[in-house]
Amino acid sequence: MDQKLLDFFKSLDRSFFIDNEFKNYAHLDRALPIGYEQTISQPSLVLKMTNFLNLNKNCRVLEIGTGSGYQTAFLAEFSEKVYTIERIKELAESARKKLEHLGYENIFYQVGDGSEGWTEHAPYDRIIVTAAAERIPEELINQLGTGGIMIVPVGSPSLQQLKLITRDQEGKIHIDTIGKVVFVEMKGKYGWTE
Ligand code: SAM
């Protein structure tokens, strides 16, 4: 595990991203409700997924599912630019306020259906999906650049396999399974029905 990532993980106050009665439970290593039937991700999983992305300051990252903005902070800290999409306006606005308060100026926000990606800024060096996809989202793979890394939970609404997808220098796609996880559903055109 990268030491700078570990240090950042320890320094970032997760409770700052929670506005409800669950704030007091922010130290627990579990997903917690943030309203609108959505959750802030489990901290150890945020750390694991970020580590697998192997970020550097040249990376342009696409994130699907801004949620509270907690995972977005990790992406912004270790990448050049982050393009983050959230379908629930209220969550997107709250996350934006928090991330701006923390001083991040390299994040670009969109409210909408992230299952379609964000073609305008594609291709991306990294793509992270923090909601469960029914199948590997082809539309997002198409927006992954050469040498790119994508991480996405794929499976049923109750249990998913965490897929690590890479595009090699020849453009060939490789898919590995790196664990079992439980995320809320990714809704939308290439996700579960709204
Ligand atoms: N990583 C976030 C955090 O640390 O707070 C938590 C993300 S939460 C588990 C999943 C988020 O994905 C929810 O906020 C949900 O509204 C959003 N979502 C689901 N489907 C989406 C879609 N098609 N486009 C954009 N966001 C979506």
Side-chain angles (χ1 to χ4, degrees):
M1 177 76 60
D2 182 71
Q3 189 58 45
K4 281 190 187 141
L5 174 57
L6 257 183
D7 291 345
F8 181 73
F9 174 73
K10 287 179 192 154
S11 71
L12 187 64
D13 178 11
R14 186 175 180 239
S15 73
F16 176 66
F17 294 87
I18 305 172
D19 290 326
N20 57 22
E21 65 275 24
F22 292 97
K23 206 176 184 61
N24 295 332
Y25 300 98
H27 60 284
L28 298 179
D29 189 26
R30 48 168 290 197
L32 295 169
I34 53 170
Y36 310 92
E37 299 177 355
Q38 306 305 324
T39 53
I40 180 171
S41 304
Q42 184 184 0
S44 60
L45 190 53
V46 170
L47 184 62
K48 177 179 171 177
M49 288 170 76
T50 310
N51 196 46
F52 268 112
L53 284 178
N54 196 18
L55 299 169
N56 64 63
K57 275 292 177 188
N58 296 319
C59 284
R60 294 168 65 259
V61 183
L62 174 67
E63 179 188 39
I64 314 304
T66 319
S68 70
Y70 177 61
Q71 168 77 74
T72 319
F74 286 77
L75 304 176
E77 184 69 22
F78 295 102
S79 315
E80 184 194 358
K81 286 179 183 166
V82 180
Y83 298 87
T84 185
I85 312 178
E86 170 57 54
R87 59 184 277 274
I88 300 172
K89 186 165 155 261
E90 291 80 358
L91 288 179
E93 280 171 1
S94 166
R96 181 183 196 133
K97 268 191 208 139
K98 290 180 194 301
L99 291 160
E100 284 179 355
H101 180 85
L102 292 177
Y104 292 111
E105 293 177 346
N106 58 342
I107 307 173
F108 303 87
Y109 304 83
Q110 190 187 105
V111 176
D113 178 9
S115 75
E116 300 182 55
W118 194 341
T119 48
E120 192 187 340
H121 304 288
Y124 300 95
D125 304 301
R126 304 288 185 267
I127 299 180
I128 177 169
V129 184
T130 67
E134 191 178 357
R135 59 184 74 86
I136 292 175
E138 282 296 324
E139 195 55 35
L140 296 183
I141 289 187
N142 291 342
Q143 294 177 32
L144 185 66
T146 304
I149 303 174
M150 170 168 158
I151 192 159
V152 52
V154 178
S156 72
S158 57
L159 185 68
Q160 304 99 39
Q161 292 186 331
L162 196 55
K163 299 285 184 188
L164 187 72
I165 301 170
T166 50
R167 185 189 289 282
D168 68 22
Q169 294 302 327
E170 282 75 49
K172 199 163 171 271
I173 293 293
H174 304 266
I175 303 174
D176 286 317
T177 301
I178 54 172
K180 289 198 170 75
V181 289
V182 181
F183 275 91
V184 296
E185 292 168 28
M186 180 176 76
K187 308 273 190 190
K189 186 171 176 189
Y190 298 100
W192 297 88
T193 318
E194 298 267 357

